[in-house]
Amino acid sequence: MRKAELKRITKETSIRVSIDLDGKGKNNLNTGIGFFDHLLDQFSFYSGVDINGEIEGDLHIDCHHTIEDLGYVIGECIRKALDMDPGIERFSSQYIAMDESLVRSAIDLSGRPFLYFDYYFERERIGQLETECIKEFFRALVTTSKMTLHLDVIRGENNHHIAEALFKALGRSFAKAKVIISDQVTSTKGVI
Ligand SMILES: [Mn+2]
């Protein structure tokens, strides 16, 4: 059972999250930011990771704390859940086309946090989501999950499509990288 649960309470956010790495691809988290829920739904659906729990953030300030802290918590849950099974595929890359948009995600569940993401959205907001928070989510997720993640927007015009394609690509590549392929650690070093 590759599951994990975590609670994190600060003056800015109050978060309880549980994830099931081998779930049905359902996100039940309601962040209070409609478009971000739409993005999390894409990640869940295409990764097969179930996300449950509650989050209450200081959205009267802006989206930043809520999204960053949620990234830390989901990332840590992923790390905890993966730790039980070391013989995972680890590497995966995925192109996702969504109409005019084309993005690529390359993952190594390496134990070494690294994010490459240099895209700046043209729009400041999509729905209630401040687009600069998208990078903050990826950065937080990478930090605690300790994955190496390269996300490239190869082309695209519609900011909704680009954001959605990024979360689909992340989900699809994670779906492949998390698969257990061996009872041995998938590293020539013998440790991830
Ligand atoms: Mn959409």
Side-chain angles (χ1 to χ4, degrees):
M1 293 291 244
R2 297 195 293 174
K3 295 181 179 178
E5 193 172 353
L6 203 72
K7 227 197 241 176
R8 185 182 192 273
I9 295 168
T10 70
K11 286 178 181 163
E12 296 170 345
T13 60
S14 168
I15 305 173
R16 189 189 59 78
V17 161
S18 65
I19 69 156
D20 181 351
L21 280 193
D22 306 295
K24 293 185 166 65
K26 187 99 183 74
N27 166 47
N28 289 310
L29 210 59
N30 185 343
T31 62
I33 310 157
F35 186 67
F36 196 69
D37 292 344
H38 183 49
L39 295 179
L40 280 182
D41 289 348
Q42 308 304 319
F43 171 74
S44 277
F45 187 83
Y46 290 100
S47 66
V49 175
D50 287 347
I51 306 175
N52 286 292
E54 293 104 41
I55 172 164
E56 224 171 295
D58 54 3
L59 294 178
H60 59 283
I61 295 178
D62 66 9
C63 298
H64 190 105
H65 302 138
T66 301
I67 289 175
E68 183 185 12
D69 292 359
L70 182 60
Y72 286 133
V73 172
I74 292 176
E76 200 162 338
C77 283
I78 286 174
R79 183 70 187 160
K80 276 169 77 180
L82 281 173
D83 264 352
M84 298 171 203
D85 293 290
I88 50 172
E89 176 69 45
R90 270 187 67 180
F91 303 101
S92 176
S93 58
Q94 179 74 50
Y95 284 88
I96 290 284
M98 187 169 176
D99 300 341
E100 86 299 335
S101 297
L102 179 66
V103 310
R104 179 182 57 212
S105 165
I107 278 186
D108 177 13
L109 301 178
S110 60
R112 296 188 303 276
F114 183 89
L115 174 69
Y116 181 88
F117 180 69
D118 70 350
Y119 186 73
Y120 290 93
F121 289 89
E122 226 167 82
R123 281 171 63 185
E124 201 177 314
R125 281 166 188 277
I126 309 171
Q128 304 133 286
L129 176 68
E130 295 128 26
T131 50
E132 65 176 12
C133 290
I134 290 173
K135 184 170 186 175
E136 290 311 303
F137 178 77
F138 293 142
R139 201 190 334 243
L141 184 82
V142 156
T143 300
T144 49
S145 66
K146 297 186 181 172
M147 68 168 83
T148 296
L149 174 64
H150 292 249
L151 285 169
D152 291 281
V153 176
I154 294 161
R155 55 179 155 272
E157 286 170 25
N158 183 291
N159 281 204
H160 183 125
H161 289 163
I162 293 166
E164 195 169 329
L166 283 165
F167 278 74
K168 283 179 174 173
L170 174 62
R172 254 298 176 255
S173 51
F174 185 71
K176 293 186 213 159
K178 73 177 181 180
V179 172
I180 298 165
I181 52 164
S182 156
D183 55 3
Q184 307 290 313
V185 177
T186 29
S187 166
T188 53
K189 271 191 295 194
V191 62
I192 293 180

